[in-house]
């Protein structure tokens, strides 16, 4: 028994003496306009204490009756024997509700019974991201349950943290489908163990997506009914009907909408302020003229009931027989309630809150507070903005009690109005009538004359807690491998809930065969991994063009696996590349030289199926050659076979090669990384020993240190003391040149006879090592008379018209001291040596001019041959055979190693490769020398040489036709240097024959 503060009666019975909210509401409701302000202030203080206790000092988890599923607490004794009605709260909450949808329910119960937190929701299952908490109200014999799931802000925040990796890898739709699946599993649980479900929605519009969800839950409920019944039969003391039907009844669903989004309606001018008063700073969100303040709100509720009923009936979610439906709607009772904003917030009334705030925080005492809160000024409305009165009016007298009387009358009038309205539109009345009916005769929501039997169970609390734990385990806990029934039910639920995933899966499954067919289209019998990747990209393009949705990544993996199986199922080709960049066309195999390969593979030679046309060393014969896979086959074997019937009869100069002294000679172990060479471009003489970091050797024998420094004979470089006169080049032979010539004869080079160089000879090769075979060839076709400048090169096939000419190069040789050059003095007559110009009449010098013919020949893969007139232009003679160019640019500039062939101008690009150098030496007492150096790659690519450095240049005999054949391929320590892509119009600048290749020195006396 609690005393009422307003009426001072002792016979007012409060159901729960410790329930401060009921005491406050009772006291405030009994305040009358004639009561003094002291009674009002006591009520306000009492309400404030309750609010502080609710907001700060109230721990929901510690109060008696609170539990979370699965529940470890089961009521015993009298509380366990009570028969209870189960009310569950589901749906969506507002963003600022902290995940709680039961504010109105807590106001009805009179205490805070559920947790609310914006960012840290409690009791959420890590798999379903849903949690069910409950409260057992023993006094009212009601079990309240609250579902926190995907449609609550707090749950979404937790899901974002827990599913961050999945969101990044699989995308939003896959993660959202799993969240919806967990929500559906939770609803199946609550529909199986509840009598009443409150479906909350944060607006006043029915969400039609619930229709698909309800149909899905109904289909799964029917499928899982027999399994649920089997689970419930194991609960001790359970009723027969509950174990037979698998649920307590066909539950009622009540719809709880929010009025916060309703448009504000202007109050009619004739309406009294008290009839629309909602508290300080608030307006009514629904309206109605006259005296019926709730008429508009009730009309909206009725309209929503009609709309929901029609939608659910048309979609067959509800039927005439409630036992066959997922849930039922009451026949003659309201099942839609529109929550006002004040009811949702569960906060003190606006008038009371404002008044109490001003009473507590004004500094001038109670009388001054009452004056500030006075509503007695004319023209002020019922809102809080008018409480302060007119700013122009003088302040009231603090001792005047009229302000207090006016404040008390106004507040109590508003409280009475709200009390009357709450009696007309009360959530407690709305829900309590259904609870009372459930505790009484139960629900009979069948429609029509031919309705089926009605089952309705009000279980004892202890039995219900035991049963709900078992049903929770069936629906919410991941089934084991042996639990095929639960796996079957959850699999069916997943296929029905994840509509986006099912659509994506169906679409991708339809496109997958098309993508596989695109991969198989045009496949060769055997192909490489590179071709496999290309075809896979084509197939992925087909899949990505038509497949959609979250299952796309899954089917990409299936497509990759299918294509990988096709490739590995006997279609894997040999991955070895030829030295020209073509792939072996044979299936995966091994060769006789491979010792580490799988012995189960067949043994065969590599072949790309590509053949080229190439000439021999001298150029008189052409033959077809297979695409080479080794440097020896490219640079030595092919030319050796052609030379047996052509070039073997010609004079030649052999380049140094390995001469073994033992039978078990081995290749030297050359450390890779020998590409660091000295700069290219004529900065150092070829006879100068290299001081760079050459590759190291292991087991080197027979090697000698590099010979002493030698100055080579004259080379045609701009650094020499030469003078250009038109197209001629003047070279001065001095006394130092004769000394150098004599010094060259004393050079002795010794190489290893037990180890050989495993590869081609280049500037970074270790000293003292020679290759087993030479990649170069130098042959003499015969005397210089074989070449006629009028007719060009004859009897050599493959030359394109107008390109079979050599270029003349006039070189003037000036002798400073004839006595130092006896060979020249004895060979040339006195008249020929006399100078005819006035500059040298007084000296004893002599000069003579020699004519050298040079030709730089290129050959393409089709066998076409052509000469170059310079680094950037092919040679083209006139129809009569007139050549206007000379060899100065060819002799004094770097020549490209590759140049587009003239045959490719109208079709596919074909590059010609520098393959031969033609030299016709003059009939003069001089030797033309050759010192070729080829750099096939960009720096720091080494220079490839025909003889080890530092060796003297090669001397050519006079009055002869010499042909220097260059390597067909260039292979270094790091692998081959592939030719450039012929589709590129410009040849690479780094692949070139370096300038300084040609030189002149005195003819040796012993050869005269």
């Amino acid at each position: 028994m609690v005393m009422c503060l307003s009426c001072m009666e002792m016979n007012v019975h409060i159901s729960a003496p410790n329930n401060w909210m009921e005491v406050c509401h009772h006291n405030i409701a009994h305040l009358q306009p004639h009561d003094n302000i002291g009674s009002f202030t006591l009520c306000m203080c009492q309400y404030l204490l309750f609010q502080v206790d609710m907001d700060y000092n109230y721990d929901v988890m510690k109060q008696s009756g609170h539990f979370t599923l699965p529940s470890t607490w089961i009521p015993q004794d009298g509380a366990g024997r009570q028969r209870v009605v189960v009310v569950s709260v589901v749906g969506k909450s507002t963003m600022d509700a902290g995940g709680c949808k039961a504010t109105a329910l807590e106001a009805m119960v009179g205490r805070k019974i559920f947790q609310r937190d914006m960012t840290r929701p409690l009791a959420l299952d890590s798999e379903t991201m849903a949690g069910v908490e409950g409260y057992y109200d023993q006094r009212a014999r009601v079990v309240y349950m609250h579902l926190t799931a995907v449609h609550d802000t707090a749950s979404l925040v937790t899901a974002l943290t827990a599913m961050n990796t999945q969101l990044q890898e699989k995308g939003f739709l896959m993660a959202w489908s799993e969240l919806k699946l967990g929500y559906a599993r939770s609803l199946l649980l609550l529909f199986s163990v509840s009598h009443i479900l409150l479906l909350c929605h944060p607006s006043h519009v029915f969400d039609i997506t619930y229709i698909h969800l309800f149909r899905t839950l109904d289909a799964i409920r029917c499928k899982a009914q027999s399994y649920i019944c089997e689970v419930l039969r194991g609960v001790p003391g359970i009723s027969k009907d509950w174990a037979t039907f698998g649920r307590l009844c066909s539950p009622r669903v009540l719809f709880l909408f929010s009025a916060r989004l309703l448009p504000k309606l202007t109050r009619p001018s004739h309406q009294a302020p008290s009839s629309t008063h909602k508290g300080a700073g608030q307006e009514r969100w629904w309206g109605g003229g006259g005296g019926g303040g709730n008429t508009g709100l009730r009309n909206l509720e009725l309209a929503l009931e009609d709309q929901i009923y029609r939608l659910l009936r048309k979609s067959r979610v509800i039927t005439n027989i409630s036992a066959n439906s997922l849930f039922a709607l009451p026949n003659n009772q309201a099942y839609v309630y529109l929550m006002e904003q004040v009811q949702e917030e569960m906060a003190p009334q606006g008038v009371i809150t404002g008044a109490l705030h001003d009473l507590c925080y004004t500094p001038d005492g109670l009388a001054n507070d009452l004056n500030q809160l006075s509503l007695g000024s004319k023209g002020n409305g019922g809102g809080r903005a008018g409480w302060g009165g007119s700013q122009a009016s003088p302040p009231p007298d603090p001792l005047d009690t009229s302000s207090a009387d006016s404040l008390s009358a106004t507040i109590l009038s508003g409280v009475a109005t709200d009390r009357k309205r709450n009696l007309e539109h009360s959530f407690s009345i709305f829900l309590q009538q259904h609870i009372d009916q459930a505790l009484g005769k139960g629900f009979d929501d069948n429609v029509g004359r031919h309705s089926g039997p009605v089952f309705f169970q009000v279980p004892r609390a202890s039995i219900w807690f035991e049963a709900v734990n078992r049903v929770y385990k069936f629906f919410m806990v991941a089934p084991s491998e042996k639990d095929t029934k639960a796996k079957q039910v959850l699999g069916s639920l997943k296929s029905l809930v994840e509509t986006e995933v099912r659509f994506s899966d169906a679409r991708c499954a339809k496109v997958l065969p098309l993508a596989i067919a695109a991969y198989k289209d045009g496949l060769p019998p055997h192909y490489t991994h590179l071709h496999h990747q290309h075809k896979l990209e084509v197939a992925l393009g087909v899949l990505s063009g038509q497949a959609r949705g979250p299952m796309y990544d899954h089917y990409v993996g299936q497509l990759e696996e299918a294509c990988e199986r096709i490739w590995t199922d006997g279609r894997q080709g040999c991955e070895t590349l030829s030295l020209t960049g073509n792939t072996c066309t044979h299936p995966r195999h091994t060769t006789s030289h491979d010792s580490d390969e799988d012995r189960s593979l067949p043994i065969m030679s590599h072949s790309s199926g590509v053949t080229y046309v190439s000439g021999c060393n001298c150029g008189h014969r052409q033959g077809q050659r297979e695409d080479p896979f080794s440097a020896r086959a490219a640079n030595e074997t092919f030319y050796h076979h052609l030379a047996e019937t052509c070039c073997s009869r010609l004079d030649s100069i052999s380049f140094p090669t390995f001469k073994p002294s033992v039978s078990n000679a081995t290749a030297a172990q050359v450390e890779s990384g020998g590409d660091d060479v000295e700069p290219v471009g004529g900065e150092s003489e070829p006879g100068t020993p290299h001081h760079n970091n050459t590759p190291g050797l292991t087991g080197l024998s027979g090697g000698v240190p590099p010979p002493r420094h030698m100055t080579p004979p004259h080379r045609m470089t701009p650094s020499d003391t030469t003078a250009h006169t038109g197209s001629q080049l003047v070279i001065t032979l001095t006394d130092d040149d004769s000394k150098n010539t004599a010094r060259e004869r004393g050079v002795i080079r010794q190489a290893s006879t037990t180890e050989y160089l495993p590869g081609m000879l280049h500037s970074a090769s270790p000293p003292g090592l020679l290759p087993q075979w030479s990649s170069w060839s130098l042959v003499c076709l015969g005397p210089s008379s074989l070449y006629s400048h009028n007719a060009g090169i004859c009897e050599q096939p493959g030359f394109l018209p107008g390109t079979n000419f050599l270029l003349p190069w006039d070189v003037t040789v000036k002798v400073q001291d004839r006595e130092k050059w006896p060979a020249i003095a004895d060979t040339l007559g006195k008249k020929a040596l006399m100078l005819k110009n006035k500059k040298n009449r007084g000296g004893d010098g002599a000069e003579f001019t020699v004519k050298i013919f040079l030709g730089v020949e290129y050959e393409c893969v089709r066998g076409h041959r052509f000469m170059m007139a310079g680094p950037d232009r092919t040679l083209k003679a006139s129809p009569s055979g007139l050549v206007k160019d000379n060899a100065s640019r060819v002799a004094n500039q770097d020549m490209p190693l590759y140049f587009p062939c003239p045959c490719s101008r109208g079709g596919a690009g074909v590059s010609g490769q520098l393959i031969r150098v033609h030299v016709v030496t003059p009939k003069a007492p001089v030797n033309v020398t050759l010192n070729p150096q080829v750099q096939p790659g960009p720096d720091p690519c080494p220079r490839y040489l025909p003889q080890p450095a530092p060796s003297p240049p090669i001397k050519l005999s006079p009055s002869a036709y010499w042909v220097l054949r260059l390597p067909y391929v260039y292979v270094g320590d790091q692998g081959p240097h592939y030719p450039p892509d012929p589709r590129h119009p410009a040849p690479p600048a780094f692949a070139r024959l370096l300038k300084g290749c040609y030189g002149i020195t005195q003819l040796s006396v012993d050869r005269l």
Side-chain angles (χ1 to χ4, degrees):
M1 181 174 294
V2 179
M3 180 181 67
C4 179
L5 296 177
S6 59
C7 58
M8 304 298 290
E9 296 179 358
M10 298 297 295
N11 58 353
V12 179
H13 293 272
I14 303 300
S15 58
N18 59 344
N19 192 331
W20 286 102
M21 187 174 184
E22 291 188 13
V23 174
C24 295
H25 279 175
H26 178 81
N27 290 339
I28 296 173
H30 282 76
L31 287 175
Q32 300 299 324
H34 61 273
D35 289 340
N36 55 36
I37 194 62
S39 300
F40 169 74
T41 305
L42 290 176
C43 293
M44 295 302 100
C45 296
Q46 193 177 42
Y47 197 96
L48 178 63
L49 291 176
F50 160 75
Q51 197 66 24
V52 172
D53 178 68
M54 287 286 292
D55 293 338
Y56 300 103
N57 301 324
Y58 200 70
D59 191 353
V60 176
M61 298 291 291
K62 295 181 180 180
Q63 67 175 333
S64 176
H66 184 274
F67 62 92
T68 57
L69 294 184
S71 176
T72 57
W73 172 75
I74 298 178
Q76 303 294 333
D77 301 333
R81 291 191 298 269
Q82 286 191 128
R83 296 188 178 273
V84 292
V85 174
V86 183
V87 179
S88 298
V89 182
V90 298
K92 304 176 182 179
S93 63
T94 58
M95 185 178 64
D96 56 350
C100 182
K101 302 174 285 291
T103 304
L105 191 64
E106 290 177 330
M108 173 182 171
V109 176
R111 67 178 60 189
K112 187 177 180 181
I113 58 176
F114 298 125
Q115 303 175 75
R116 47 175 57 80
D117 197 310
M118 182 66 72
T119 59
R120 296 182 300 275
L122 305 178
L124 289 185
D125 183 69
S126 59
E127 180 182 358
T128 61
M129 285 298 158
V132 180
E133 58 177 329
Y135 174 74
Y136 176 26
D137 189 352
Q138 301 179 21
R139 175 183 57 84
R141 296 194 302 165
V142 180
V143 175
Y144 300 101
M145 289 195 298
H146 180 268
L147 172 63
T148 302
V150 62
H151 296 298
D152 299 310
T153 306
S155 180
L156 283 179
V157 172
T158 303
L160 179 63
T161 304
M163 308 178 71
N164 186 32
T165 303
Q166 184 178 4
L167 284 170
Q168 295 178 356
E169 294 179 353
K170 298 183 179 180
F172 167 75
L173 287 178
M174 287 293 292
W176 180 248
S177 297
E178 293 190 9
L179 292 176
K180 289 197 304 182
L181 178 62
Y183 183 62
R185 292 165 65 178
S186 303
L187 289 180
L188 280 174
L189 167 66
L190 296 182
F191 273 104
S192 300
V193 298
S194 302
H195 297 94
I196 302 172
L197 284 96
L198 289 174
L199 182 60
C200 303
H201 198 68
S203 70
H204 58 282
V205 180
F206 177 69
D207 188 358
I208 61 175
T209 58
Y210 281 119
I211 296 178
H212 176 265
L213 179 60
F214 291 154
R215 290 173 60 89
T216 300
L217 296 179
D218 192 23
I220 299 302
R221 180 194 64 83
C222 296
K223 190 171 184 177
Q225 183 176 1
S226 59
Y227 305 145
I228 295 298
C229 295
E230 184 178 346
V231 171
L232 292 177
R233 289 191 187 102
V235 179
I238 194 171
S239 64
K240 182 179 179 180
D241 289 343
W242 191 1
T244 301
F245 292 99
R247 54 180 179 169
L248 296 172
C249 63
S250 179
R252 282 185 177 179
V253 174
L254 308 180
F255 297 89
L256 209 60
F257 294 98
S258 174
R260 63 167 57 198
L261 298 181
L262 283 175
K264 295 183 180 182
L265 300 181
T266 305
R267 186 180 63 221
S269 58
H270 65 276
Q271 190 174 359
S274 60
S275 63
T276 59
H277 180 70
K278 288 290 295 176
Q282 300 179 4
E283 297 182 62
R284 183 174 296 278
W285 292 70
W286 41 268
N294 293 329
T295 303
L297 188 64
R298 184 56 189 156
N299 290 338
L300 180 57
E301 291 174 345
L302 294 176
L304 286 172
E305 288 183 359
D306 295 340
Q307 181 189 46
I308 293 173
Y309 182 80
R310 287 195 302 269
L311 290 173
L312 298 182
R313 285 286 294 185
K314 289 290 184 181
S315 58
R316 302 189 64 82
V317 174
I318 58 175
T319 59
N320 291 341
I321 303 176
S322 61
N324 297 336
S325 304
L326 177 66
F327 61 87
L329 297 178
N331 294 327
N332 300 315
Q333 292 175 283
Y335 53 87
V336 172
Y337 186 83
L338 202 60
M339 291 286 297
E340 301 177 58
Q341 186 175 4
V342 178
Q343 293 173 307
E344 293 182 62
E345 295 176 352
M346 192 187 171
Q349 295 292 335
V351 176
I352 300 176
T353 305
L356 187 59
H357 178 274
D358 292 333
L359 285 172
C360 295
Y361 289 96
T362 50
D364 297 332
L366 180 60
N368 190 27
D369 295 337
L370 295 178
N371 290 332
Q372 293 181 1
L373 294 172
S374 176
L375 301 177
S377 301
K378 295 181 180 182
N380 294 339
R384 185 170 178 173
W387 286 12
S390 176
Q391 296 295 331
S393 59
D397 186 3
L399 299 179
D400 188 6
T401 60
S402 61
S403 298
D405 295 338
S406 176
L407 174 64
S408 176
T410 303
I411 292 178
L412 294 179
S413 176
V415 170
T417 302
D418 288 342
R419 180 171 177 269
K420 180 180 178 181
R421 179 180 57 77
N422 290 334
L423 291 177
E424 297 174 355
H425 186 263
S426 171
F427 175 77
S428 301
I429 298 175
F430 168 78
L431 179 59
Q432 191 63 45
Q433 59 180 336
H434 298 282
I435 296 176
D436 293 342
Q437 185 177 352
L439 290 172
K441 62 179 182 178
F443 299 151
D444 184 5
D445 296 325
N446 293 329
V447 179
R449 293 176 295 176
H450 305 287
S451 59
V454 178
F455 67 94
F456 191 89
Q457 292 293 318
V458 182
R460 298 186 185 277
S462 58
I463 298 176
W464 181 87
F465 273 92
E466 182 68 27
V468 75
N469 283 338
R470 300 200 178 193
V471 178
Y472 179 92
K473 181 179 179 181
F474 182 84
F475 283 117
M476 303 297 290
V477 178
S480 61
E481 294 295 333
K482 298 180 180 180
D483 194 358
T484 57
K485 298 178 181 179
K487 291 179 64 176
Q488 183 180 2
V489 171
L490 293 181
S492 302
L493 177 62
K494 183 176 182 179
S495 64
L496 293 177
V497 170
E498 298 179 346
T499 53
E500 298 89 353
V501 176
R502 284 195 300 121
F503 169 78
S504 176
D505 183 76
R507 184 60 188 169
C508 294
K510 184 177 181 180
V511 180
L512 182 62
L514 302 178
I516 296 177
Y519 176 84
K520 293 181 178 180
D521 186 25
L523 280 180
H526 309 94
Y527 51 97
T528 63
H529 184 266
L530 183 63
H531 188 72
H532 164 70
Q533 291 294 332
H534 170 69
K535 296 295 292 184
L536 180 60
E537 290 178 2
V538 174
L540 289 174
V542 174
L543 183 66
S544 62
Q546 303 184 46
R548 296 293 183 271
M551 295 298 294
Y552 172 75
D553 292 335
H554 175 72
Y555 276 85
V556 166
Q558 289 191 7
L559 177 61
E560 292 177 348
E561 292 178 1
C563 295
E564 188 76 17
R565 286 195 301 269
I566 295 174
W567 180 51
T568 55
D569 188 16
R571 286 179 173 266
Q572 284 182 295
C574 180
E575 300 286 344
T576 305
L577 290 178
S578 70
L579 298 183
T580 59
N582 300 312
T583 309
C584 178
T585 58
H586 288 163
R588 188 182 175 196
H589 66 95
T590 182
T591 62
S592 58
H593 304 288
D594 297 332
S595 58
D596 299 333
E597 295 290 337
D598 187 1
R599 289 303 178 184
S600 62
L601 298 176
I603 299 177
M604 62 181 70
S605 300
H606 296 297
S607 175
S608 65
V610 180
T611 58
Y612 303 124
V613 178
S614 294
C616 63
N617 291 329
C618 64
H620 281 87
R621 288 194 59 186
Q622 283 187 318
Q624 289 189 344
R625 69 185 304 164
E626 292 185 356
D627 194 10
F629 282 82
S630 66
R632 184 163 191 172
N635 296 334
E636 194 266 344
T637 305
F638 171 77
Y639 295 106
H640 177 73
H641 291 332
L642 286 182
E644 291 179 353
T645 57
C646 179
C647 309
S648 60
R649 300 185 302 269
L650 301 177
D651 294 336
S652 63
I653 297 179
S654 299
F655 295 108
T657 56
F658 173 70
K659 305 297 181 182
S661 60
V662 293
S663 59
N664 57 348
T666 59
Q669 299 295 326
V670 180
E671 297 179 1
S672 61
D675 286 347
D676 297 332
V677 298
E678 62 186 30
V680 179
E683 296 179 5
S684 62
E685 296 295 334
T688 305
H690 295 273
H691 299 285
N692 58 308
N693 297 327
T694 58
L697 302 176
T698 58
L700 179 64
S701 62
V704 296
R708 65 182 183 273
H709 175 72
M710 293 179 56
T711 304
H714 266 284
R715 299 165 53 201
M716 302 297 112
T717 63
S719 60
D720 292 329
T721 57
T722 61
H724 294 273
T725 305
S727 62
Q728 294 185 347
L729 183 67
V730 179
I731 302 178
T732 303
L733 298 180
T734 62
D735 182 31
D736 295 335
D737 296 327
S738 62
K739 295 180 181 179
N740 295 336
T741 303
R743 189 183 302 147
E744 294 173 9
R745 301 177 183 176
V747 176
I748 299 176
R749 292 178 176 85
Q750 184 178 1
S752 173
T753 58
T754 58
E755 290 183 327
Y756 57 87
L757 181 67
M760 296 179 62
L761 187 64
H762 51 76
S763 58
S765 299
L769 291 179
L770 294 176
Q772 286 184 299
W773 36 267
S774 177
S775 299
W776 304 69
S777 173
L778 182 60
V779 296
C780 180
L781 303 185
S784 59
S785 59
L786 291 177
Y787 175 74
S788 173
H789 194 51
N790 294 328
I793 301 175
C794 302
E795 298 181 357
Q796 291 198 18
F799 274 103
L800 296 176
T803 63
N804 57 331
F805 290 89
L806 302 182
L807 297 177
W809 188 32
D810 294 331
V811 180
T812 300
V813 181
K814 184 177 180 181
V815 181
Q816 294 289 350
D817 191 352
R818 296 178 56 187
E819 296 179 359
K820 304 298 182 181
W821 297 91
I824 296 178
D826 296 340
T827 304
L828 299 178
K830 182 177 181 181
K831 184 177 180 181
L833 295 177
M834 295 302 297
L835 296 177
K836 297 181 180 180
N837 51 37
K838 298 181 179 180
K839 295 182 179 179
N840 295 305
R841 285 181 180 177
D844 58 347
E847 69 176 15
F848 59 96
T849 301
V850 295
K851 184 181 289 293
I852 306 172
F853 288 93
L854 300 179
V856 182
E857 178 191 336
Y858 289 75
E859 186 178 60
C860 75
V861 295
R862 300 171 179 173
H864 299 151
R865 302 164 66 184
F866 58 94
M867 297 289 184
M868 293 286 290
D872 54 354
R873 185 168 59 89
T874 59
L875 176 64
K876 186 66 175 177
S878 64
S880 60
L882 178 63
V883 178
K884 299 180 180 180
D885 299 297
N886 59 72
S888 59
R889 295 183 63 198
V890 173
N892 298 311
Q893 295 184 20
D894 294 341
M895 293 299 295
L897 189 59
Y898 303 96
F899 197 83
C901 181
C903 69
S904 62
R905 293 175 180 174
V910 178
S911 293
Q913 179 181 343
L914 175 58
I915 201 67
R916 295 177 188 86
V917 173
H918 298 253
V919 180
V920 177
T921 59
K923 187 177 181 181
V926 293
N927 285 118
V928 177
T929 61
L930 292 178
N931 188 27
Q933 300 184 53
V934 177
Q935 185 179 15
D939 291 333
C941 175
R943 295 167 292 172
Y944 286 79
L945 314 169
Q947 54 188 355
S951 297
I954 307 164
K955 293 182 179 181
L956 304 180
S957 62
S959 187
Y961 190 162
W962 291 89
V963 176
L964 173 68
R965 195 262 306 164
L966 278 67
Y968 186 75
V969 295
Y970 297 88
V971 181
D973 299 335
Q974 305 298 328
H977 297 277
Y978 292 106
D981 190 347
R983 294 172 295 182
H984 294 172
F990 51 80
R992 61 196 189 273
L993 172 66
L994 302 179
K995 60 185 177 181
C997 177
Y998 316 99
I1000 293 180
T1001 185
Q1002 178 196 7
L1003 186 67
S1004 301
V1005 177
D1006 55 358
R1007 299 186 61 179
L1008 292 176

